[in-house]
Amino acid sequence: MGLFYIPDTSKAELISNLNFKSDADALPFLKLPVKTLIHIVKTTQNDVKCGYCENRLYYLSSHIKVPSPILSEQIVRRVFIYTLSFDWLENSLKVLLDMNVEGDRILRDLWVLKYHHKTIEERLVRVKNFGITNLYPWMVRCSESILNRYVEIFQETKNILGENMSTKMYLAERLNVSSELIEDMYVKAPALKTIRVTKLKKFLDFLIKEGFTVEDIAIKSRILAASQSTVKKRLSKLRSLGMTEINLNVLCRSRKDFQKYCESIDTSVKK
């Protein structure tokens, strides 16, 4: 059985050797195969013997400030936590916390702990040097191209908003309306709230260039949640049919409804 003697290979017996403090903490581990549980028991016994921790579940829980039952549900899907050397786990976690990566973000992306602490530090320091203080584990794991694109968007956003302006404030300023009205827009078109300010600026610039007023855009704000490329194609289509005054709401219609609208115009023109 290796270094440690495990008297009973049943799941219940194995789990009883993992120093769980509650049934809620232990229950998710019943999903694991016996072979995996045996390895976790060996790791846990070694951690206890060396004075590291009573179970890595509680070690992580105490450091990332996440309730152990919640972490337990995640850790059984990421059992590599029990295959890493304790030094590796400790050092990787320390760098993340020292860089102020929030615990709930680590919980959602435990894979980051597989990375060497120097790799984690180099990536996050690099991101931080661009002025980005809101750090995520995915920044360590993503490709160079994705990271570079994120930095590019961050810098574009900063150029638009400056240091203190929010997207809501920017939209209110561009449309010449109150922030309360922007909140109403968010309620009517929830997707609008999640759109990056870089896209909003580009879309607003496009619509204004196409002849729409900010007043009209504010009244029919759902247009901002549409695809700019689709709107551009639809504008061309309507103008090719002889339309000069175009309602923004028409541009937001479903593909089927827009097609019917175009057909009705085409029919009336032919008459």
Side-chain angles (χ1 to χ4, degrees):
M1 297 296 292
L3 184 61
F4 299 99
Y5 173 63
I6 301 172
D8 189 332
T9 56
S10 71
K11 287 188 178 184
E13 184 65 27
L14 288 168
I15 288 172
S16 72
N17 285 285
L18 291 175
N19 308 318
F20 287 119
K21 297 177 181 178
S22 72
D23 290 343
D25 294 340
L27 193 59
F29 282 74
L30 284 170
K31 303 172 187 175
L32 298 175
V34 168
K35 185 177 179 180
T36 301
L37 285 171
I38 289 173
H39 178 80
I40 292 173
V41 168
K42 290 180 179 181
T43 298
T44 301
Q45 289 178 338
N46 186 61
D47 286 346
V48 171
K49 181 181 177 182
C50 295
Y52 298 145
C53 64
E54 56 192 332
N55 187 309
R56 294 187 180 189
L57 169 69
Y58 299 119
Y59 175 79
L60 283 174
S61 174
S62 66
H63 282 78
I64 66 175
K65 311 300 181 189
V66 170
S68 53
I70 293 175
L71 179 58
S72 184
E73 289 285 353
Q74 296 302 316
I75 213 170
V76 295
R77 300 172 188 168
R78 305 287 183 262
V79 291
F80 70 84
I81 294 294
Y82 291 94
T83 67
L84 302 172
S85 71
F86 190 82
D87 283 347
W88 183 293
L89 177 64
E90 182 180 43
N91 290 331
S92 294
L93 182 60
K94 184 177 186 302
V95 170
L96 289 165
L97 296 175
D98 286 349
M99 296 294 289
N100 296 316
V101 178
E102 294 180 7
D104 64 325
R105 292 175 183 172
I106 298 172
L107 171 69
R108 293 194 298 269
D109 198 351
L110 291 170
W111 285 113
V112 72
L113 295 170
K114 265 193 168 185
Y115 287 76
H116 193 272
H117 68 277
K118 288 186 178 178
T119 301
I120 296 172
E121 185 174 28
E122 286 169 4
R123 260 296 177 99
L124 294 183
V125 166
R126 179 177 152 202
V127 172
K128 207 167 186 177
N129 286 340
F130 284 109
I132 300 171
T133 56
N134 209 5
L135 303 178
Y136 293 82
W138 67 259
M139 294 172 174
V140 176
R141 303 194 300 107
C142 70
S143 66
E144 284 290 323
S145 60
I146 290 175
L147 185 63
N148 290 337
R149 178 57 183 151
Y150 179 83
V151 171
E152 183 183 336
I153 291 170
F154 171 82
Q155 291 174 331
E156 288 175 1
T157 300
K158 191 173 181 180
N159 289 337
I160 295 169
L161 298 180
E163 295 294 337
N164 302 312
M165 187 181 285
S166 65
T167 300
K168 182 170 76 172
M169 290 169 62
Y170 171 79
L171 200 52
E173 187 176 283
R174 283 295 304 268
L175 297 179
N176 196 26
V177 297
S178 67
S179 58
E180 288 75 18
L181 188 56
I182 299 299
E183 283 293 342
D184 289 341
M185 291 178 186
Y186 287 163
V187 171
K188 293 173 184 175
L192 188 58
K193 197 171 185 178
T194 63
I195 299 172
R196 290 196 302 263
V197 72
T198 49
K199 181 183 176 184
L200 282 173
K201 180 185 184 302
K202 185 179 177 183
F203 206 173
L204 279 167
D205 291 346
F206 166 77
L207 290 172
I208 292 168
K209 186 179 178 181
E210 290 294 324
F212 297 100
T213 66
V214 292
E215 291 79 14
D216 199 22
I217 297 169
I219 293 169
K220 303 176 179 74
S221 57
R222 192 162 61 95
I223 187 67
L224 295 172
S227 162
Q228 183 176 329
S229 61
T230 299
V231 169
K232 186 176 182 179
K233 289 175 185 176
R234 289 183 173 186
L235 279 171
S236 296
K237 175 67 175 176
L238 292 174
R239 284 169 179 160
S240 72
L241 293 172
M243 295 284 290
T244 54
E245 292 187 13
I246 298 171
N247 189 316
L248 285 172
N249 285 337
V250 171
L251 301 173
C252 298
R253 290 186 179 184
S254 68
R255 186 166 61 88
K256 186 177 180 180
D257 286 347
F258 181 75
Q259 185 62 36
K260 285 182 179 178
Y261 180 77
C262 290
E263 288 170 359
S264 68
I265 295 172
D266 197 28
T267 301
S268 63
V269 169
K270 288 177 180 177
K271 287 181 180 179

